[in-house]
Amino acid sequence: MMINTKNLLTLTILTIATLGLSACDNSATNKKAQDKEKTIYPGGPVEYSLISPKWAADTSWLALRAEQQDKAISNSNIFHDFSLTDKQADTGITFRYKVVDDAGISYKAVHYDHGSGVAIADVDGDGDSDIYFPNQVGANGLWRNNGDATFNDITDLSSVAVADRISIGAAFADIDNDGDPDLFVTTVKGGNILFENDGTGNFTDISADAGVDYSGHSSGAVFFDYDNDGLLDLYVTNVGTYTNDELGSDGAYEGLSDAFTGHTIPERAESSILYHNTGGNKFVDVTTEMGIENLGWSGDAAPIDANNDGWVDLYVLNMQGLDSYFENQAGKGFINKSAEVFPQSSWGAMGIQVFDYDNDGDQDIYVTDMHSDMAEQVRPILSEEKRKAHVINDESFHLAGGNAIWGNSFFRNEGDGSFTEISDEINAENFWPWGLSAGDLNADGNQDVFIASSMSYPWRYGINSVLLNNGSSFVDAEFAVDAEPRAGAEFVPWFEIDCAGADKGHRDCPRDFNAGHVTVNGSVGSRSSVIFDYDADGDLDIITSEFGTEPLVLESNLTDRTNVRSIRVDLSGTQSSRSGLGATVTVKAGASSYTQVMDGRTGYLGQSDAPLYFGLGTAQAADSITVKWLSGAEQTIQGPIAANNQIIEIVEPE
């Protein structure tokens, strides 16, 4: 509907939170004064702008949360004197994530609101990491890093727009060992896509010939070498049937009204798929043959050598039930050892990251749980958002056998093939979490975490979490490092309706207003993220995939605040896969030792191809770097290796 802006009556509704949802005592007092703001122009149509839900307009609780966090972190000894500032406007990135109608004007409780991922790789071989953003409506985006903290849109030039499908996950990996990252994209009932890179950033769709063009409700994609043959295999997670076969006006398949009970209906299950790379850019579905069938509603998965036997196992999430852990039997098959190794797991698991949080050399597992947090209405105060959800167990719905964790889980690797769940002990809980990414944000040698969070329309604003690692637990720091509150608005225009015409009776049409144009604003919210040094200044930055708007580009000023000492390690396999996926890298500096696995898992619904970043704290140099390759080869590079953010390229011995 066209609006005549010269003759306009603007009526803005900012209804402040009531019903005890506000964290500040003066909200009720201010409510009446702020309830309606009117600017009247003589004649013309009427425009009406509102925030949905109306009570969500009060974000005064953010100031209280910042004050609480400032007091808490000042009592810790963790370094936090740096800022993460949104520089999206300066980078030239104008990509905007567009949602389907079922996440907007015709909102349903359906799995479309899980959003999409983000992934990085140096697609053109110029030494800088480029960014790929999947999208629900319209073209995906590939943005080339110019090397000067700016980006150019090369989507069309690279032939990876995929504008005719609803894209969800993205994974970069060198499938043919030719030295450049190829790209896999998952979609909702549009057919998954594998693009081969020619080395210059030009991609060719080889999906059908490769045998990986499955069409269903796909989500995450993980490349890993399960049989140690030097070729990367592929695991694709499928959620389950949450749409029908009817297309809406936006071109998307309509979500089922009972989508969130779909996991209780066996015929709606879609098994996730394991593809074996047979060489020559060909893949074969070996799911049944390898004993890794999984009918859980899975959004993502992560590889981990959980028992340290040199063969990569797989931890598979279930967003509505218990997770699954498949132990690799020397490349000959997998055994489901979920009940034995992980008898309890997060019921609503959404994101996963595997990393060594306590620098003991073993890889630990951090899982975020989004769906448990939807079981109750929680006030935006610290004591409620940092606890597990209060859930009345309904076994007919939960199907968890009493073994569910109703919130995030953190499994500490005990080094003997067993794990201990310690999420509450180390402050790993947060609210409305989707994806998490790990990286040493303050370069002290400990892996920190960014958790993309919030729900967006039609829910209140929720914060992203920055958890700084003190070596034994996590410290809340999103306000302390200026990642929250966002510099921009907490709400953005979500859709427009005509309450006097086609949209009359829409749930967001004000009851006391039955004519004219209405702009409905919803809460912004992050879904996925990737942590990397996009401006090559020696510290780690964060780029997010935002639901319904432009990404956040959270640039760190750590190098301006302290003397950052770091190195980056880039692997090149010869017997193992070219990108070295599955290799374990240990950096020693003085009395400290830091271990990371090159697994490419940079966040929810995304797998990337980038060097490993090691912060070395106060060490001037690394004493050695040891690499254990999946081929069984092991090599050590002796130091001193200057901690000046240089990239150390290590080639596997032939």
Side-chain angles (χ1 to χ4, degrees), residues 348-642:
M350 200 60 61
I352 182 171
Q353 196 74 31
V354 175
F355 62 101
D356 182 7
Y357 98 100
D358 51 3
N359 289 329
D360 66 352
D362 299 315
Q363 299 299 294
D364 311 296
I365 302 174
Y366 195 169
V367 175
T368 57
D369 180 334
M370 171 63 202
H371 283 161
S372 288
D373 285 339
M374 301 304 295
E376 59 175 328
Q377 184 166 277
V378 170
R379 294 177 296 167
I381 59 177
L382 187 63
S383 60
E384 296 204 15
E385 290 197 347
K386 295 292 289 185
R387 63 166 171 80
K388 293 292 190 287
H390 293 157
V391 177
I392 299 175
N393 188 40
D394 177 359
E395 183 57 23
S396 65
F397 175 75
H398 293 128
L399 305 178
N403 294 318
I405 298 168
W406 304 109
N408 297 350
S409 53
F410 194 101
F411 299 103
R412 182 180 61 207
N413 192 329
E414 303 297 347
D416 58 1
S418 67
F419 291 78
T420 303
E421 204 288 304
I422 58 171
S423 57
D424 289 337
E425 176 183 331
I426 64 172
N427 188 38
E429 192 60 60
N430 80 320
F431 193 65
W432 282 348
W434 298 98
L436 74 161
S437 300
D440 190 355
L441 295 174
N442 56 6
D444 66 352
N446 298 312
Q447 295 289 295
D448 309 302
V449 171
F450 178 84
I451 306 180
S453 308
S454 188
M455 265 300 295
S456 307
Y457 172 87
W459 306 88
R460 69 168 171 87
Y461 179 75
I463 64 169
N464 291 323
S465 293
V466 175
L467 301 179
L468 297 181
N469 185 347
N470 65 16
S472 59
S473 63
F474 294 102
V475 178
D476 298 309
E478 58 275 354
F479 291 95
V481 300
D482 299 320
E484 287 286 352
R486 301 181 185 220
E490 289 91 11
F491 306 92
V492 294
W494 212 251
F495 55 85
E496 298 176 351
I497 50 179
D498 180 8
C499 291
D503 302 308
K504 187 175 182 179
H506 188 278
R507 62 176 166 266
D508 285 310
C509 285
R511 294 178 181 178
D512 59 346
F513 181 79
N514 57 10
H517 174 91
V518 175
T519 299
V520 178
N521 297 274
S523 302
V524 296
S526 305
R527 291 298 186 270
S528 183
S529 61
V530 60
I531 298 177
F532 72 112
D533 186 5
Y534 88 89
D535 52 0
D537 65 350
D539 54 35
L540 292 177
D541 314 296
I542 303 171
I543 293 181
T544 70
S545 171
E546 295 294 291
F547 199 59
T549 189
E550 292 81 11
L552 295 175
V553 181
L554 299 176
E555 181 180 303
S556 174
N557 70 344
L558 183 68
T559 53
D560 297 331
R561 306 299 298 169
T562 189
N563 185 10
V564 174
R565 300 176 179 89
S566 64
I567 61 172
R568 288 178 286 171
V569 176
D570 196 16
L571 301 180
S572 182
T574 55
Q575 302 176 73
S576 305
S577 65
R578 180 71 174 268
S579 51
L581 287 188
T584 300
V585 180
T586 300
V587 175
K588 292 186 177 180
S592 299
S593 181
Y594 312 104
T595 299
Q596 295 185 45
V597 173
M598 179 70 81
D599 63 3
R601 297 298 299 160
T602 48
Y604 173 58
L605 302 178
Q607 186 175 27
S608 300
D609 183 37
L612 297 175
Y613 176 95
F614 288 86
L616 298 183
T618 59
Q620 298 290 334
D623 298 320
S624 65
I625 302 174
T626 298
V627 182
K628 295 182 179 179
W629 301 85
L630 275 190
S631 65
E634 182 174 332
Q635 65 189 120
T636 298
I637 310 300
Q638 295 294 344
I641 301 164

Side-chain angles (χ1 to χ4, degrees), residues 134-458:
N135 206 353
Q136 279 189 353
V137 178
N140 298 344
L142 178 59
W143 290 79
R144 180 182 179 273
N145 190 332
N146 297 318
D148 59 0
T150 66
F151 293 79
N152 288 337
D153 185 355
I154 60 170
T155 311
D156 292 336
L157 291 174
S158 299
S159 303
V160 291
V162 197
D164 61 339
R165 312 180 204 192
I166 300 167
S167 296
I168 304 297
F172 281 111
D174 187 354
I175 63 167
D176 45 13
N177 291 330
D178 64 354
D180 56 55
D182 307 297
L183 174 64
F184 186 78
V185 181
T186 63
T187 76
V188 178
K189 295 171 72 170
N192 298 330
I193 312 164
L194 178 61
F195 293 102
E196 182 184 9
N197 189 350
D198 70 357
T200 67
N202 294 314
F203 292 83
T204 301
D205 183 350
I206 61 170
S207 313
D209 287 343
V212 294
D213 56 344
Y214 171 83
S215 182
H217 298 81
S218 295
S219 184
V222 178
F223 283 98
F224 71 118
D225 185 1
Y226 77 81
D227 55 353
N228 294 1
D229 66 350
L231 295 172
L232 294 179
D233 309 300
L234 172 64
Y235 188 77
V236 177
T237 65
N238 292 315
V239 176
T241 301
Y242 58 83
T243 66
N244 59 32
D245 293 329
E246 299 297 322
L247 292 174
S249 59
D250 58 349
Y253 290 97
E254 294 181 350
L256 296 170
S257 60
D258 62 347
F260 275 92
T261 62
H263 65 289
T264 68
I265 306 172
E267 56 267 29
R268 292 193 189 173
E270 293 182 32
S271 176
S272 296
I273 305 170
L274 176 64
Y275 293 103
H276 180 226
N277 187 338
T278 60
N281 291 343
K282 303 291 185 182
F283 291 79
V284 176
D285 182 349
V286 294
T287 310
T288 302
E289 174 187 337
M290 299 302 292
I292 198 169
E293 286 183 303
N294 178 52
L295 298 177
W297 283 48
S298 180
D300 218 337
I304 176 176
D305 184 2
N307 56 0
N308 296 315
D309 67 351
W311 298 89
V312 182
D313 313 302
L314 197 64
Y315 189 104
V316 183
L317 302 183
N318 186 348
M319 63 179 65
Q320 290 170 253
L322 298 181
D323 298 339
S324 296
Y325 164 68
F326 294 95
E327 188 176 272
N328 191 340
Q329 305 300 297
K332 307 299 183 183
F334 290 84
I335 295 178
N336 189 334
K337 289 195 173 182
S338 312
E340 178 181 338
V341 183
F342 300 97
Q344 289 187 303
S345 63
S346 296
W347 182 83
M350 200 60 61
I352 182 171
Q353 196 74 31
V354 175
F355 62 101
D356 182 7
Y357 98 100
D358 51 3
N359 289 329
D360 66 352
D362 299 315
Q363 299 299 294
D364 311 296
I365 302 174
Y366 195 169
V367 175
T368 57
D369 180 334
M370 171 63 202
H371 283 161
S372 288
D373 285 339
M374 301 304 295
E376 59 175 328
Q377 184 166 277
V378 170
R379 294 177 296 167
I381 59 177
L382 187 63
S383 60
E384 296 204 15
E385 290 197 347
K386 295 292 289 185
R387 63 166 171 80
K388 293 292 190 287
H390 293 157
V391 177
I392 299 175
N393 188 40
D394 177 359
E395 183 57 23
S396 65
F397 175 75
H398 293 128
L399 305 178
N403 294 318
I405 298 168
W406 304 109
N408 297 350
S409 53
F410 194 101
F411 299 103
R412 182 180 61 207
N413 192 329
E414 303 297 347
D416 58 1
S418 67
F419 291 78
T420 303
E421 204 288 304
I422 58 171
S423 57
D424 289 337
E425 176 183 331
I426 64 172
N427 188 38
E429 192 60 60
N430 80 320
F431 193 65
W432 282 348
W434 298 98
L436 74 161
S437 300
D440 190 355
L441 295 174
N442 56 6
D444 66 352
N446 298 312
Q447 295 289 295
D448 309 302
V449 171
F450 178 84
I451 306 180
S453 308
S454 188
M455 265 300 295
S456 307
Y457 172 87

